[in-house]
mmCIF file with all atom_site columns, all heavy atoms in Angstrom:
data_model
loop_
_atom_site.group_PDB
_atom_site.id
_atom_site.type_symbol
_atom_site.label_atom_id
_atom_site.label_alt_id
_atom_site.label_comp_id
_atom_site.label_asym_id
_atom_site.label_entity_id
_atom_site.label_seq_id
_atom_site.pdbx_PDB_ins_code
_atom_site.Cartn_x
_atom_site.Cartn_y
_atom_site.Cartn_z
_atom_site.occupancy
_atom_site.B_iso_or_equiv
_atom_site.pdbx_formal_charge
_atom_site.auth_seq_id
_atom_site.auth_comp_id
_atom_site.auth_asym_id
_atom_site.auth_atom_id
_atom_site.pdbx_PDB_model_num
ATOM 1   N N   . ILE Y 1 169 ? 2.602  23.716 18.378 1.00 98.00 ? 169 ILE Y N   1
ATOM 2   C CA  . ILE Y 1 169 ? 2.493  23.970 16.949 1.00 98.00 ? 169 ILE Y CA  1
ATOM 3   C C   . ILE Y 1 169 ? 3.191  22.880 16.180 1.00 98.00 ? 169 ILE Y C   1
ATOM 4   O O   . ILE Y 1 169 ? 4.322  22.495 16.460 1.00 98.00 ? 169 ILE Y O   1
ATOM 5   C CB  . ILE Y 1 169 ? 3.126  25.339 16.586 1.00 98.00 ? 169 ILE Y CB  1
ATOM 6   C CG1 . ILE Y 1 169 ? 2.516  26.452 17.451 1.00 98.00 ? 169 ILE Y CG1 1
ATOM 7   C CG2 . ILE Y 1 169 ? 2.909  25.631 15.098 1.00 98.00 ? 169 ILE Y CG2 1
ATOM 8   C CD1 . ILE Y 1 169 ? 3.217  27.802 17.271 1.00 98.00 ? 169 ILE Y CD1 1
ATOM 9   N N   . TYR Y 1 170 ? 2.486  22.357 15.179 1.00 98.00 ? 170 TYR Y N   1
ATOM 10  C CA  . TYR Y 1 170 ? 2.996  21.264 14.328 1.00 98.00 ? 170 TYR Y CA  1
ATOM 11  C C   . TYR Y 1 170 ? 3.217  21.836 12.924 1.00 98.00 ? 170 TYR Y C   1
ATOM 12  O O   . TYR Y 1 170 ? 2.265  22.254 12.278 1.00 98.00 ? 170 TYR Y O   1
ATOM 13  C CB  . TYR Y 1 170 ? 2.021  20.098 14.267 1.00 98.00 ? 170 TYR Y CB  1
ATOM 14  C CG  . TYR Y 1 170 ? 1.833  19.409 15.595 1.00 98.00 ? 170 TYR Y CG  1
ATOM 15  C CD1 . TYR Y 1 170 ? 0.947  19.981 16.553 1.00 98.00 ? 170 TYR Y CD1 1
ATOM 16  C CD2 . TYR Y 1 170 ? 2.473  18.250 15.915 1.00 98.00 ? 170 TYR Y CD2 1
ATOM 17  C CE1 . TYR Y 1 170 ? 0.748  19.359 17.789 1.00 98.00 ? 170 TYR Y CE1 1
ATOM 18  C CE2 . TYR Y 1 170 ? 2.286  17.616 17.128 1.00 98.00 ? 170 TYR Y CE2 1
ATOM 19  C CZ  . TYR Y 1 170 ? 1.438  18.191 18.060 1.00 98.00 ? 170 TYR Y CZ  1
ATOM 20  O OH  . TYR Y 1 170 ? 1.246  17.584 19.280 1.00 98.00 ? 170 TYR Y OH  1
ATOM 21  N N   . PHE Y 1 171 ? 4.479  21.866 12.485 1.00 98.00 ? 171 PHE Y N   1
ATOM 22  C CA  . PHE Y 1 171 ? 4.816  22.395 11.189 1.00 98.00 ? 171 PHE Y CA  1
ATOM 23  C C   . PHE Y 1 171 ? 5.015  21.264 10.198 1.00 98.00 ? 171 PHE Y C   1
ATOM 24  O O   . PHE Y 1 171 ? 5.559  20.200 10.506 1.00 98.00 ? 171 PHE Y O   1
ATOM 25  C CB  . PHE Y 1 171 ? 6.102  23.218 11.259 1.00 98.00 ? 171 PHE Y CB  1
ATOM 26  C CG  . PHE Y 1 171 ? 5.940  24.550 11.918 1.00 98.00 ? 171 PHE Y CG  1
ATOM 27  C CD1 . PHE Y 1 171 ? 6.102  24.701 13.288 1.00 98.00 ? 171 PHE Y CD1 1
ATOM 28  C CD2 . PHE Y 1 171 ? 5.634  25.688 11.149 1.00 98.00 ? 171 PHE Y CD2 1
ATOM 29  C CE1 . PHE Y 1 171 ? 5.979  25.931 13.901 1.00 98.00 ? 171 PHE Y CE1 1
ATOM 30  C CE2 . PHE Y 1 171 ? 5.502  26.912 11.779 1.00 98.00 ? 171 PHE Y CE2 1
ATOM 31  C CZ  . PHE Y 1 171 ? 5.675  27.054 13.139 1.00 98.00 ? 171 PHE Y CZ  1
ATOM 32  N N   . THR Y 1 172 ? 4.602  21.531 8.943  1.00 96.00 ? 172 THR Y N   1
ATOM 33  C CA  . THR Y 1 172 ? 4.877  20.638 7.855  1.00 96.00 ? 172 THR Y CA  1
ATOM 34  C C   . THR Y 1 172 ? 5.015  21.477 6.584  1.00 96.00 ? 172 THR Y C   1
ATOM 35  O O   . THR Y 1 172 ? 4.887  22.690 6.598  1.00 96.00 ? 172 THR Y O   1
ATOM 36  C CB  . THR Y 1 172 ? 3.773  19.559 7.697  1.00 96.00 ? 172 THR Y CB  1
ATOM 37  O OG1 . THR Y 1 172 ? 4.165  18.544 6.798  1.00 96.00 ? 172 THR Y OG1 1
ATOM 38  C CG2 . THR Y 1 172 ? 2.453  20.171 7.221  1.00 96.00 ? 172 THR Y CG2 1
ATOM 39  N N   . GLY Y 1 173 ? 5.332  20.843 5.468  1.00 92.00 ? 173 GLY Y N   1
ATOM 40  C CA  . GLY Y 1 173 ? 5.499  21.598 4.201  1.00 92.00 ? 173 GLY Y CA  1
ATOM 41  C C   . GLY Y 1 173 ? 6.931  22.057 4.003  1.00 92.00 ? 173 GLY Y C   1
ATOM 42  O O   . GLY Y 1 173 ? 7.773  21.988 4.919  1.00 92.00 ? 173 GLY Y O   1
ATOM 43  N N   . GLY Y 1 174 ? 7.206  22.564 2.786  1.00 90.00 ? 174 GLY Y N   1
ATOM 44  C CA  . GLY Y 1 174 ? 8.564  22.875 2.380  1.00 90.00 ? 174 GLY Y CA  1
ATOM 45  C C   . GLY Y 1 174 ? 9.280  23.910 3.245  1.00 90.00 ? 174 GLY Y C   1
ATOM 46  O O   . GLY Y 1 174 ? 10.471 23.810 3.490  1.00 90.00 ? 174 GLY Y O   1
ATOM 47  N N   . ASP Y 1 175 ? 8.545  24.931 3.734  1.00 95.00 ? 175 ASP Y N   1
ATOM 48  C CA  . ASP Y 1 175 ? 9.142  25.959 4.552  1.00 95.00 ? 175 ASP Y CA  1
ATOM 49  C C   . ASP Y 1 175 ? 8.838  25.722 6.052  1.00 95.00 ? 175 ASP Y C   1
ATOM 50  O O   . ASP Y 1 175 ? 9.167  26.588 6.880  1.00 95.00 ? 175 ASP Y O   1
ATOM 51  C CB  . ASP Y 1 175 ? 8.670  27.361 4.155  1.00 95.00 ? 175 ASP Y CB  1
ATOM 52  C CG  . ASP Y 1 175 ? 9.270  27.785 2.820  1.00 95.00 ? 175 ASP Y CG  1
ATOM 53  O OD1 . ASP Y 1 175 ? 10.443 27.509 2.563  1.00 95.00 ? 175 ASP Y OD1 1
ATOM 54  O OD2 . ASP Y 1 175 ? 8.519  28.410 2.008  1.00 95.00 ? 175 ASP Y OD2 1
ATOM 55  N N   . GLY Y 1 176 ? 8.207  24.614 6.374  1.00 96.00 ? 176 GLY Y N   1
ATOM 56  C CA  . GLY Y 1 176 ? 7.845  24.354 7.750  1.00 96.00 ? 176 GLY Y CA  1
ATOM 57  C C   . GLY Y 1 176 ? 9.019  24.244 8.699  1.00 96.00 ? 176 GLY Y C   1
ATOM 58  O O   . GLY Y 1 176 ? 8.953  24.770 9.819  1.00 96.00 ? 176 GLY Y O   1
ATOM 59  N N   . LYS Y 1 177 ? 10.048 23.570 8.268  1.00 96.00 ? 177 LYS Y N   1
ATOM 60  C CA  . LYS Y 1 177 ? 11.233 23.395 9.133  1.00 96.00 ? 177 LYS Y CA  1
ATOM 61  C C   . LYS Y 1 177 ? 11.883 24.743 9.449  1.00 96.00 ? 177 LYS Y C   1
ATOM 62  O O   . LYS Y 1 177 ? 12.299 24.995 10.586 1.00 96.00 ? 177 LYS Y O   1
ATOM 63  C CB  . LYS Y 1 177 ? 12.225 22.457 8.485  1.00 96.00 ? 177 LYS Y CB  1
ATOM 64  C CG  . LYS Y 1 177 ? 13.317 21.980 9.419  1.00 96.00 ? 177 LYS Y CG  1
ATOM 65  C CD  . LYS Y 1 177 ? 14.130 20.865 8.807  1.00 96.00 ? 177 LYS Y CD  1
ATOM 66  C CE  . LYS Y 1 177 ? 15.103 20.251 9.788  1.00 96.00 ? 177 LYS Y CE  1
ATOM 67  N NZ  . LYS Y 1 177 ? 15.870 19.118 9.205  1.00 96.00 ? 177 LYS Y NZ  1
ATOM 68  N N   . PHE Y 1 178 ? 11.941 25.602 8.440  1.00 97.00 ? 178 PHE Y N   1
ATOM 69  C CA  . PHE Y 1 178 ? 12.518 26.950 8.645  1.00 97.00 ? 178 PHE Y CA  1
ATOM 70  C C   . PHE Y 1 178 ? 11.690 27.739 9.639  1.00 97.00 ? 178 PHE Y C   1
ATOM 71  O O   . PHE Y 1 178 ? 12.207 28.345 10.579 1.00 97.00 ? 178 PHE Y O   1
ATOM 72  C CB  . PHE Y 1 178 ? 12.632 27.669 7.307  1.00 97.00 ? 178 PHE Y CB  1
ATOM 73  C CG  . PHE Y 1 178 ? 12.843 29.150 7.463  1.00 97.00 ? 178 PHE Y CG  1
ATOM 74  C CD1 . PHE Y 1 178 ? 14.077 29.642 7.875  1.00 97.00 ? 178 PHE Y CD1 1
ATOM 75  C CD2 . PHE Y 1 178 ? 11.815 30.042 7.190  1.00 97.00 ? 178 PHE Y CD2 1
ATOM 76  C CE1 . PHE Y 1 178 ? 14.266 31.024 8.022  1.00 97.00 ? 178 PHE Y CE1 1
ATOM 77  C CE2 . PHE Y 1 178 ? 11.996 31.410 7.319  1.00 97.00 ? 178 PHE Y CE2 1
ATOM 78  C CZ  . PHE Y 1 178 ? 13.233 31.902 7.752  1.00 97.00 ? 178 PHE Y CZ  1
ATOM 79  N N   . LEU Y 1 179 ? 10.374 27.780 9.443  1.00 97.00 ? 179 LEU Y N   1
ATOM 80  C CA  . LEU Y 1 179 ? 9.493  28.585 10.317 1.00 97.00 ? 179 LEU Y CA  1
ATOM 81  C C   . LEU Y 1 179 ? 9.452  28.023 11.735 1.00 97.00 ? 179 LEU Y C   1
ATOM 82  O O   . LEU Y 1 179 ? 9.261  28.794 12.681 1.00 97.00 ? 179 LEU Y O   1
ATOM 83  C CB  . LEU Y 1 179 ? 8.101  28.674 9.734  1.00 97.00 ? 179 LEU Y CB  1
ATOM 84  C CG  . LEU Y 1 179 ? 7.931  29.497 8.454  1.00 97.00 ? 179 LEU Y CG  1
ATOM 85  C CD1 . LEU Y 1 179 ? 6.549  29.350 7.880  1.00 97.00 ? 179 LEU Y CD1 1
ATOM 86  C CD2 . LEU Y 1 179 ? 8.262  30.978 8.739  1.00 97.00 ? 179 LEU Y CD2 1
ATOM 87  N N   . SER Y 1 180 ? 9.657  26.727 11.879 1.00 97.00 ? 180 SER Y N   1
ATOM 88  C CA  . SER Y 1 180 ? 9.543  26.125 13.224 1.00 97.00 ? 180 SER Y CA  1
ATOM 89  C C   . SER Y 1 180 ? 10.621 26.630 14.155 1.00 97.00 ? 180 SER Y C   1
ATOM 90  O O   . SER Y 1 180 ? 10.459 26.571 15.374 1.00 97.00 ? 180 SER Y O   1
ATOM 91  C CB  . SER Y 1 180 ? 9.618  24.592 13.111 1.00 97.00 ? 180 SER Y CB  1
ATOM 92  O OG  . SER Y 1 180 ? 10.908 24.152 12.726 1.00 97.00 ? 180 SER Y OG  1
ATOM 93  N N   . ARG Y 1 181 ? 11.707 27.164 13.614 1.00 96.00 ? 181 ARG Y N   1
ATOM 94  C CA  . ARG Y 1 181 ? 12.808 27.635 14.471 1.00 96.00 ? 181 ARG Y CA  1
ATOM 95  C C   . ARG Y 1 181 ? 12.417 28.846 15.293 1.00 96.00 ? 181 ARG Y C   1
ATOM 96  O O   . ARG Y 1 181 ? 13.062 29.161 16.287 1.00 96.00 ? 181 ARG Y O   1
ATOM 97  C CB  . ARG Y 1 181 ? 14.037 27.943 13.630 1.00 96.00 ? 181 ARG Y CB  1
ATOM 98  C CG  . ARG Y 1 181 ? 13.951 29.211 12.816 1.00 96.00 ? 181 ARG Y CG  1
ATOM 99  C CD  . ARG Y 1 181 ? 15.211 29.465 12.028 1.00 96.00 ? 181 ARG Y CD  1
ATOM 100 N NE  . ARG Y 1 181 ? 15.281 30.820 11.469 1.00 96.00 ? 181 ARG Y NE  1
ATOM 101 C CZ  . ARG Y 1 181 ? 16.290 31.301 10.777 1.00 96.00 ? 181 ARG Y CZ  1
ATOM 102 N NH1 . ARG Y 1 181 ? 17.313 30.509 10.503 1.00 96.00 ? 181 ARG Y NH1 1
ATOM 103 N NH2 . ARG Y 1 181 ? 16.304 32.546 10.336 1.00 96.00 ? 181 ARG Y NH2 1
ATOM 104 N N   . TYR Y 1 182 ? 11.345 29.555 14.898 1.00 96.00 ? 182 TYR Y N   1
ATOM 105 C CA  . TYR Y 1 182 ? 10.889 30.696 15.656 1.00 96.00 ? 182 TYR Y CA  1
ATOM 106 C C   . TYR Y 1 182 ? 10.033 30.308 16.870 1.00 96.00 ? 182 TYR Y C   1
ATOM 107 O O   . TYR Y 1 182 ? 9.658  31.180 17.647 1.00 96.00 ? 182 TYR Y O   1
ATOM 108 C CB  . TYR Y 1 182 ? 10.079 31.625 14.746 1.00 96.00 ? 182 TYR Y CB  1
ATOM 109 C CG  . TYR Y 1 182 ? 10.913 32.301 13.671 1.00 96.00 ? 182 TYR Y CG  1
ATOM 110 C CD1 . TYR Y 1 182 ? 10.871 31.844 12.354 1.00 96.00 ? 182 TYR Y CD1 1
ATOM 111 C CD2 . TYR Y 1 182 ? 11.719 33.397 13.962 1.00 96.00 ? 182 TYR Y CD2 1
ATOM 112 C CE1 . TYR Y 1 182 ? 11.622 32.448 11.379 1.00 96.00 ? 182 TYR Y CE1 1
ATOM 113 C CE2 . TYR Y 1 182 ? 12.484 34.002 12.999 1.00 96.00 ? 182 TYR Y CE2 1
ATOM 114 C CZ  . TYR Y 1 182 ? 12.434 33.532 11.690 1.00 96.00 ? 182 TYR Y CZ  1
ATOM 115 O OH  . TYR Y 1 182 ? 13.199 34.132 10.687 1.00 96.00 ? 182 TYR Y OH  1
ATOM 116 N N   . PHE Y 1 183 ? 9.703  29.018 16.967 1.00 96.00 ? 183 PHE Y N   1
ATOM 117 C CA  . PHE Y 1 183 ? 8.796  28.571 18.029 1.00 96.00 ? 183 PHE Y CA  1
ATOM 118 C C   . PHE Y 1 183 ? 9.405  27.402 18.782 1.00 96.00 ? 183 PHE Y C   1
ATOM 119 O O   . PHE Y 1 183 ? 9.401  26.273 18.270 1.00 96.00 ? 183 PHE Y O   1
ATOM 120 C CB  . PHE Y 1 183 ? 7.466  28.151 17.407 1.00 96.00 ? 183 PHE Y CB  1
ATOM 121 C CG  . PHE Y 1 183 ? 6.753  29.284 16.696 1.00 96.00 ? 183 PHE Y CG  1
ATOM 122 C CD1 . PHE Y 1 183 ? 6.997  29.516 15.347 1.00 96.00 ? 183 PHE Y CD1 1
ATOM 123 C CD2 . PHE Y 1 183 ? 5.884  30.123 17.374 1.00 96.00 ? 183 PHE Y CD2 1
ATOM 124 C CE1 . PHE Y 1 183 ? 6.351  30.553 14.691 1.00 96.00 ? 183 PHE Y CE1 1
ATOM 125 C CE2 . PHE Y 1 183 ? 5.257  31.178 16.722 1.00 96.00 ? 183 PHE Y CE2 1
ATOM 126 C CZ  . PHE Y 1 183 ? 5.483  31.392 15.378 1.00 96.00 ? 183 PHE Y CZ  1
ATOM 127 N N   . PRO Y 1 184 ? 9.928  27.643 19.991 1.00 91.00 ? 184 PRO Y N   1
ATOM 128 C CA  . PRO Y 1 184 ? 10.555 26.563 20.756 1.00 91.00 ? 184 PRO Y CA  1
ATOM 129 C C   . PRO Y 1 184 ? 9.593  25.413 21.032 1.00 91.00 ? 184 PRO Y C   1
ATOM 130 O O   . PRO Y 1 184 ? 9.973  24.253 21.032 1.00 91.00 ? 184 PRO Y O   1
ATOM 131 C CB  . PRO Y 1 184 ? 10.961 27.267 22.071 1.00 91.00 ? 184 PRO Y CB  1
ATOM 132 C CG  . PRO Y 1 184 ? 11.070 28.714 21.708 1.00 91.00 ? 184 PRO Y CG  1
ATOM 133 C CD  . PRO Y 1 184 ? 10.037 28.965 20.659 1.00 91.00 ? 184 PRO Y CD  1
ATOM 134 N N   . ASN Y 1 185 ? 8.320  25.718 21.255 1.00 82.00 ? 185 ASN Y N   1
ATOM 135 C CA  . ASN Y 1 185 ? 7.335  24.675 21.557 1.00 82.00 ? 185 ASN Y CA  1
ATOM 136 C C   . ASN Y 1 185 ? 6.679  24.195 20.271 1.00 82.00 ? 185 ASN Y C   1
ATOM 137 O O   . ASN Y 1 185 ? 5.467  24.323 20.105 1.00 82.00 ? 185 ASN Y O   1
ATOM 138 C CB  . ASN Y 1 185 ? 6.288  25.234 22.518 1.00 82.00 ? 185 ASN Y CB  1
ATOM 139 C CG  . ASN Y 1 185 ? 5.331  24.170 23.000 1.00 82.00 ? 185 ASN Y CG  1
ATOM 140 O OD1 . ASN Y 1 185 ? 5.714  22.988 23.178 1.00 82.00 ? 185 ASN Y OD1 1
ATOM 141 N ND2 . ASN Y 1 185 ? 4.062  24.521 23.185 1.00 82.00 ? 185 ASN Y ND2 1
ATOM 142 N N   . SER Y 1 186 ? 7.463  23.677 19.379 1.00 96.00 ? 186 SER Y N   1
ATOM 143 C CA  . SER Y 1 186 ? 6.932  23.254 18.099 1.00 96.00 ? 186 SER Y CA  1
ATOM 144 C C   . SER Y 1 186 ? 7.568  21.953 17.656 1.00 96.00 ? 186 SER Y C   1
ATOM 145 O O   . SER Y 1 186 ? 8.609  21.527 18.137 1.00 96.00 ? 186 SER Y O   1
ATOM 146 C CB  . SER Y 1 186 ? 7.141  24.328 17.030 1.00 96.00 ? 186 SER Y CB  1
ATOM 147 O OG  . SER Y 1 186 ? 8.511  24.456 16.716 1.00 96.00 ? 186 SER Y OG  1
#
Side-chain angles (χ1 to χ4, degrees):
I169 306 173
Y170 296 80
F171 285 90
T172 191
D175 288 321
K177 192 169 187 178
F178 164 73
L179 290 173
S180 68
R181 74 180 192 178
Y182 293 102
F183 299 90
N185 186 34
S186 68

